Structure formats: structure tokens, C-alpha cells
Amino acid sequence: MTRLSVNINKIATIRNARGGNMPDVKLAAINCEKFGAEGITVHPRPDERHIRYEDVRQIRPIITTEFNIEGNPIPSFVDLVCEVVPDQVTLVPDGPDAITSNAGWNTLANKEFLTEMCATFKAKGIRTSIFIDPDPRMAEGAAACGADRVELYTAGYAEMYPSNPEKAIADYLKAAQRAKECGLGLNAGHDLSLENLEYFIRTIPWTDEVSIGHALISDALYMGLEKTIASYLSKIKIF
């Protein structure tokens, strides 16, 4: 059954816009779990424009479900993850100037580096996931690097979904099937929403986890966090 991990970066973005501790990022993590989320995701970036490294350290002890830290494995990120030891690390190839994640890894061209990273994190007992585009070859490459899972970058699916759901999901289904054949777990994330989430899960029901931040936090501005999380859970708990 697919798990919902809530990305709380946007909570930190609002806090940082004003300074101080409002809204409280730690309280947001606690409440997300209280309202039914089965994991918390954070994506600390070097400029700390939303989640800060210190936030990660403070959030880790209060998480009672799964803690997923995603980001580009630069040295400071690697050190932070090895210090905090989350349940899962998701390797994302975003540059320091990226507004948000905008592509998956080329697991073939970066095999040596990704293999080293997977070995580093798995030696600490951390499940390691590699963020990839919906390409079966990238899933194969992730398996060859020693990853435990891949996370499909779903921006393309979300963009095409309103006009042609079947075409939007086609490449993702192929990549997901290949990941399954390679023995990899499957995550998905980026621009998933109440509009497009259920179709994705119905088509690829072996998805282990979806990580959702921007749409979910935006919906919470209108519906409240508790109702919003319940609404997202209703889209994935369909079997």
C-alpha cells in the first residue's frame, strides 16, 4: 500500500520570509503525522532558503513514522545525512540555483559517483533512493548503482495529465515496471496533486511512497492541514 510522505519545505519558506519561528516547522511535522501522514520529507539546500540544516537535526528526534531527506549529495549534505541517519535518503541532482528539482539523474553517466553514494549511505543503514526521469534505462542504472529504490520525477506526468492521462502515464508505467523487474522499490514525486494522484496510483499500484509538498501545503491554506492530508490519503488508499 502506498505511503504518503509530506514535504514540509513550504512551511519553512513561509517562516523564513518573516524570520522568527512562525509557522513552527517542528510542530508542522508533528501535526502532519498526527493527521495521518506516514512520513515527513525535507529537502535542505545549501542556501537554506527553506529547510535549514539545523531544522533537519531538530526534526529527526520527533519523527515517529519515516524521515526522508532529499537533496544533491554535495559533501555538506552527505555529512548531514550521515549525522542524522534518516530512514531514507533520496539523491536529487539539483544545482544550487535551481528553484525546484527539474530533472532526474542520468544513472549511466554518473554510475561511479552514485555507486559511491549508495554505498556510503547504505553503510549507515539508510535506505537509498535515486531520483530519475521516467526512463527504464535509468531504473536499470539505479539498480546497478546499488540503490534500494528509485523516485520517478513526475512533473511531466502532472503537466500532461489534464489533456491526456493515458499518454501522460505511459512512460512512467514502463519505467516503474522495469524498476520492479530490477528489484527496486518505487517512489514518486513532484507536482502530484489531488487532481492527478489517484490515477497514478491506480495505474502503478506498487508505488511504495509518494512525496508531496507544494500542492498539499497550498491546498492546506484553503482546507486546513488535517482535512488536506485526509483528502490525499483518500486518493492513495484505494485498494
Side-chain angles (χ1 to χ4, degrees):
M1 187 174 289
T2 306
R3 301 169 65 92
L4 172 65
S5 184
V6 176
N7 185 320
I8 59 172
N9 274 22
K10 286 298 185 293
I11 301 292
T13 300
I14 297 172
R15 176 200 61 189
N16 295 354
R18 186 71 178 265
N21 194 41
M22 184 184 296
D24 186 326
V25 172
K26 289 190 292 182
L27 181 60
I30 291 169
N31 283 337
C32 285
E33 292 189 324
K34 176 183 175 181
F35 298 147
E38 296 148 311
I40 299 296
T41 292
V42 294
H43 188 144
R45 288 184 165 88
D47 61 9
E48 299 196 321
R49 63 180 181 267
H50 33 63
I51 288 290
R52 301 167 181 155
Y53 278 33
E54 189 56 32
D55 290 328
V56 177
R57 296 184 177 97
Q58 292 179 9
I59 290 169
R60 180 64 183 115
I62 65 174
I63 296 300
T64 60
T65 56
E66 283 202 353
F67 193 32
N68 173 45
I69 304 177
E70 59 181 29
N72 193 336
I74 60 175
S76 60
F77 178 88
V78 174
D79 290 344
L80 177 69
V81 173
C82 289
E83 172 193 345
V84 171
V85 190
D87 300 284
Q88 177 174 267
V89 61
T90 302
L91 309 183
V92 182
D94 56 348
D97 58 345
I99 295 175
T100 186
S101 307
N102 53 23
W105 285 97
N106 183 326
T107 57
L108 305 179
N110 295 281
K111 181 179 179 181
E112 183 176 355
F113 174 69
L114 292 172
T115 298
E116 178 185 352
M117 290 297 98
C118 287
T120 296
F121 294 126
K122 291 176 71 173
K124 299 286 287 187
I126 304 168
R127 182 198 308 135
T128 304
S129 178
I130 297 179
F131 195 65
I132 65 168
D133 294 320
D135 182 336
R137 297 173 303 161
M138 297 303 108
E140 293 171 4
C145 292
D148 299 297
R149 293 185 182 181
V150 289
E151 178 173 331
L152 296 178
Y153 171 50
T154 49
Y157 163 75
E159 182 177 359
M160 191 182 297
Y161 175 82
S163 60
N164 193 331
E166 290 185 2
K167 184 175 181 181
I169 200 74
D171 287 344
Y172 291 86
L173 180 57
K174 292 175 184 176
Q177 288 172 331
R178 189 65 187 124
K180 187 177 182 180
E181 292 166 356
C182 291
L184 294 170
L186 183 71
N187 298 340
H190 204 91
D191 291 342
L192 293 174
S193 67
L194 288 175
E195 177 187 13
N196 59 42
L197 180 57
E198 182 174 339
Y199 183 79
F200 189 95
I201 300 301
R202 284 192 179 276
T203 307
I204 310 175
W206 62 92
T207 304
D208 291 297
E209 174 186 293
V210 289
S211 175
I212 305 177
H214 185 79
L216 190 151
I217 300 303
S218 297
D219 289 334
L221 295 176
Y222 301 97
M223 298 191 293
L225 188 59
E226 183 172 7
K227 184 177 179 181
T228 298
I229 289 175
S231 296
Y232 275 84
L233 288 170
S234 74
K235 298 296 184 180
I236 62 177
K237 306 301 182 184
I238 52 180
F239 297 101

